[in-house]
Amino acid sequence: MKRLSVFILFICLITFSIIFWIDLAFFFQVILISTLIKLIVEFFLLRIKNYSFCSPYIDFTQLLYTCLIIYFTYYSTSDNGEIISNLLIGDTLTYYNESLYFAAIAENNFLNYLSYTSINYFFYQFILSLLYLTFSANYYFSGLMLSAFIGILNLLLIIKISELAKLKLPTLRNVMIFYIIFPHIIAASTALLKDNIIVFSFLILIYSCLKVILIKPKLKYYFHIFMALILCSLLR
């Protein structure tokens, strides 16, 4: 079942990339980033007790998010390959413009970026700027895929928390389905927004606190709690 879900994932992504064709560079970017996300997610997924049960839901989540992102990118890209900025509204436009500017100036001290932002935080734009410097074929798509990746990690953390709470498999299935189809989560995982990273920091905090309370206090869990609080503070 697991191998079948991975096969379906990549066949659908290839098909969707061809239907909503932008250019060859974008096609290979879709495959490269999707493969990278799959490998990282698989690394963490293997550490889940109910691996075989949960893995098809994880693959479907990646498929859903990526197909939506390909569709959004296609309709946000002009004939000459440029992003149509007037289609980006609110915070999304601010994040996109500022992250491109951050990538262009490339300061050595990331704290200096605070003076270049028009809002009271800069860390999300800084993360996007690093991503844009790494995957330069389509900046907008790379940023959206970061949201999708964090959204998948959040689902993994919810599964881990559910295991600590000793939820039965039917209940765990309902939790995963609710997460996958919840409209706000889909929106946050397919848009240029920092919401998913904030949720990620809180889930890390909850998971680490539960490990300390229910399992055994360890230094690494306290470190995770500290880092989750730092991450959340940098995004607010």
Side-chain angles (χ1 to χ4, degrees):
M1 181 66 178
K2 173 59 185 164
R3 296 180 65 178
L4 178 61
S5 64
V6 174
F7 177 76
I8 293 172
L9 168 66
F10 281 97
I11 289 297
C12 290
L13 291 183
I14 290 171
T15 303
F16 222 71
S17 300
I18 293 173
I19 293 173
F20 298 99
W21 181 268
I22 295 179
D23 54 37
L24 190 61
F26 177 73
F27 175 80
F28 282 113
Q29 187 180 19
V30 170
I31 302 303
L32 174 62
I33 295 180
S34 298
T35 302
L36 183 61
I37 288 175
K38 184 60 202 163
L39 290 174
I40 296 173
V41 169
E42 193 72 13
F43 174 80
F44 292 108
L45 186 58
L46 286 169
R47 285 153 178 76
I48 288 177
K49 182 171 60 176
N50 299 306
Y51 169 83
S52 299
F53 181 78
C54 296
S55 55
Y57 294 93
I58 299 294
D59 290 336
F60 177 77
T61 304
Q62 181 175 350
L63 175 61
L64 173 65
Y65 292 167
T66 308
C67 286
L68 286 173
I69 288 171
I70 291 170
Y71 175 81
F72 295 151
T73 305
Y74 176 80
Y75 282 103
S76 301
T77 305
S78 64
D79 293 336
N80 60 0
E82 299 292 329
I83 294 298
I84 306 171
S85 58
N86 61 1
L87 294 179
L88 309 181
I89 58 175
D91 290 341
T92 296
L93 180 60
T94 302
Y95 296 148
Y96 180 71
N97 288 333
E98 291 193 355
S99 57
L100 288 181
Y101 181 65
F102 286 7
I105 60 177
E107 285 275 1
N108 292 325
N109 186 350
F110 83 94
L111 293 176
N112 293 340
Y113 290 103
L114 185 59
S115 60
Y116 300 123
T117 181
S118 60
I119 47 184
N120 62 351
Y121 51 86
F122 68 96
F123 191 62
Y124 178 63
Q125 300 92 299
F126 173 72
I127 294 173
L128 287 177
S129 70
L130 296 179
L131 196 67
Y132 293 162
L133 289 171
T134 305
F135 301 101
S136 58
N138 190 304
Y139 297 141
Y140 184 58
F141 175 78
S142 302
L144 295 183
M145 288 302 289
L146 173 64
S147 297
F149 174 58
I150 301 300
I152 297 169
L153 291 184
N154 288 345
L155 178 55
L156 289 174
L157 281 168
I158 289 172
I159 293 171
K160 293 290 289 184
I161 292 170
S162 299
E163 289 181 350
L164 286 176
K166 301 186 184 303
L167 296 185
K168 295 183 179 179
L169 290 184
T171 306
L172 177 58
R173 180 194 296 112
N174 293 336
V175 169
M176 290 189 292
I177 292 174
F178 179 80
Y179 179 91
I180 292 169
I181 67 174
F182 193 72
H184 181 76
I185 295 174
I186 294 175
S189 301
T190 56
L192 212 60
L193 297 171
K194 62 184 176 67
D195 301 37
N196 267 358
I197 304 182
I198 295 175
V199 173
F200 175 76
S201 65
F202 277 107
L203 288 174
I204 288 288
L205 183 63
I206 293 169
Y207 176 71
S208 300
C209 288
L210 287 176
K211 291 288 280 189
V212 169
I213 295 170
L214 299 177
I215 307 301
K216 182 180 179 182
K218 290 185 178 181
L219 181 60
K220 68 176 182 179
Y221 299 138
Y222 290 110
F223 177 73
H224 293 163
I225 292 171
F226 174 74
M227 293 305 298
L229 292 172
I230 292 294
L231 178 60
C232 189
S233 66
L234 288 172
L235 294 166
R236 300 299 297 171

